[in-house]
Amino acid sequence: MQTVTLGRTGLQVSRMGVGAGGPSQIGVKTGRSEQESVNLLRRAFDAGVNLVDTSEGYGTEQIIGRALEGRDRDQIILSTKKSTRHKDVTPESVMESLDASLRRLQTDAIDIYNLHGVVPQDYRRLVEEIYPTLEAARQAGKIRFLGITEMFGEDRQHAMLSEALADDLWDVVMVGFNLLNQTARAAVLAPAIRQNVGVQVMFAVRKALGSEEAIVPFVQSLLERGEMDTEDVDVGRILDFALSSAASLPDLAYRFCRDEAGVHVVLSGTGNAEHLERNLESFEREPLPKETTQKLRHIFRSVVSTTGQSLD
Ligand SMILES: NC(=O)c1ccc[n+]([C@@H]2O[C@H](COP(=O)([O-])OP(=O)(O)OC[C@H]3O[C@@H](n4cnc5c(N)ncnc54)[C@H](OP(=O)(O)O)[C@@H]3O)[C@@H](O)[C@H]2O)c1
């Protein structure tokens, strides 16, 4: 598994990270047993994945804690998050949440502690009221690096992360980016490169890019909204030119994100052991041909409204 330096953190991270949230939550949401989720994580670790992302809200922190039992904790980078959508996020509740995450993950320190799903209207208040608490927890050794993640569904052009990068307070950001919605390139990846901020990508596959049939209604809807040019696409064969260089649409989708400048880790969320094997293979493959990437950039260049999750 290829690794890269996660920006200013200096951490050496695998290009693929396990996302323990999303629609599958490593199997918690898709009917897998806890032991199956533990096995899935251990298989990813054994294959060289060394970063796993979770949150206090996913119900997967304790599963990760179990998967780490008997292993060298220093070999794995833990990213977890504090939910921020409630007005009662206070310095005290943040410290309680952090301590609970440490207990569930069975560790003394979180490598990357993120404010989770921050919407633009909450950002400034969280910086003023909560950031000092995070900094104090870092000084106390409970957190190594500070991160922030966006609410992609409500903030599809990354207003919150644009503001956060301008503040330059965060070591790592998590951003929604995929071959359909590439707005993060200018809004987030360019400033992150300039400031040497670590970048984790979410939504690389989601719903739209899970299968060749799934993408069709998304493209139809983007054509109706005028965000794609009819001259660029043949709806039934939309990605044929690119799929000839890939093993599958998820393979194309993960490699497209991995190859993007400024992206360090692409999170892959699955509860399916077979999908995990395929995804591990994707991250071992060579870069997509330049002309394929350029054409994918061109045909989706004006798309701003979709995250790849739903047609709304
Ligand atoms: N605001 C935030 O902070 C936030 C929000 C969302 C997500 N996240 C983080 O980002 C991580 C990644 O999330 P994501 O959902 O965007 O991940 P993703 O990998 O883009 O999409 C996951 C979906 O793709 C499917 N999938 C994965 N591999 C596949 C394959 N080879 N073939 C077919 N389908 C496949 C999964 O279903 P199967 O289980 O069937 O494989 C699942 O439904 C999450 O786990 C979470 O850690 C953070």
Side-chain angles (χ1 to χ4, degrees), residues 114-153:
N114 305 271
L115 291 183
H116 189 172
V118 177
V119 290
Q121 58 271 29
D122 286 348
Y123 175 74
R124 194 50 56 197
R125 177 180 63 81
L126 290 166
V127 167
E128 283 163 11
E129 296 176 12
I130 302 302
Y131 185 84
T133 305
L134 298 175
E135 204 38 82
R138 179 180 4 211
Q139 297 295 328
K142 293 184 176 187
I143 295 173
R144 294 179 70 198
F145 299 102
L146 300 181
I148 189 160
T149 82
E150 68 180 359
M151 186 64 81
F152 192 28

Side-chain angles (χ1 to χ4, degrees), residues 51-125:
L51 181 143
V52 54
D53 176 69
T54 181
S55 168
E56 64 169 352
Y58 295 163
T60 54
E61 286 181 322
Q62 66 276 20
I63 298 174
I64 296 165
R66 264 197 68 199
L68 289 172
E69 283 170 10
R71 298 209 160 210
D72 185 352
R73 165 70 184 87
D74 294 343
Q75 299 300 310
I76 300 297
I77 295 161
L78 293 176
S79 165
T80 193
K81 318 190 195 77
K82 167 67 194 156
S83 311
T84 59
R85 290 313 295 274
H86 306 291
K87 294 242 177 307
D88 59 358
V89 178
T90 60
E92 296 72 28
S93 70
V94 170
M95 286 312 293
E96 278 168 27
S97 290
L98 172 58
D99 287 337
S101 289
L102 289 168
R103 277 195 301 278
R104 287 189 290 265
L105 288 162
Q106 302 185 37
T107 190
D108 297 330
I110 306 292
D111 299 295
I112 307 166
Y113 196 64
N114 305 271
L115 291 183
H116 189 172
V118 177
V119 290
Q121 58 271 29
D122 286 348
Y123 175 74
R124 194 50 56 197
R125 177 180 63 81

Side-chain angles (χ1 to χ4, degrees), residues 17-27 30 32 40 52-55 58 60 79 81 114-118 148-153 174-178 200-211 248-251 253-254 257 266-280 282 307 309:
V18 168
S24 303
Q25 302 195 341
I26 50 171
T30 54
R32 308 287 170 179
L40 193 99
V52 54
D53 176 69
T54 181
S55 168
Y58 295 163
T60 54
S79 165
K81 318 190 195 77
N114 305 271
L115 291 183
H116 189 172
V118 177
I148 189 160
T149 82
E150 68 180 359
M151 186 64 81
F152 192 28
M174 188 183 297
V175 63
F177 177 72
N178 56 41
Q200 302 196 66
V201 157
M202 59 183 174
F203 283 70
V205 167
R206 276 281 159 148
K207 200 167 181 182
L209 299 158
S211 70
S248 65
L249 186 51
D251 176 63
Y254 284 128
C257 293
V266 180
L267 295 171
S268 169
T270 185
N272 178 315
E274 186 53 36
H275 289 173
L276 175 67
E277 294 304 326
R278 300 293 79 77
N279 300 343
L280 288 165
S282 292
T307 64
Q309 177 58 24

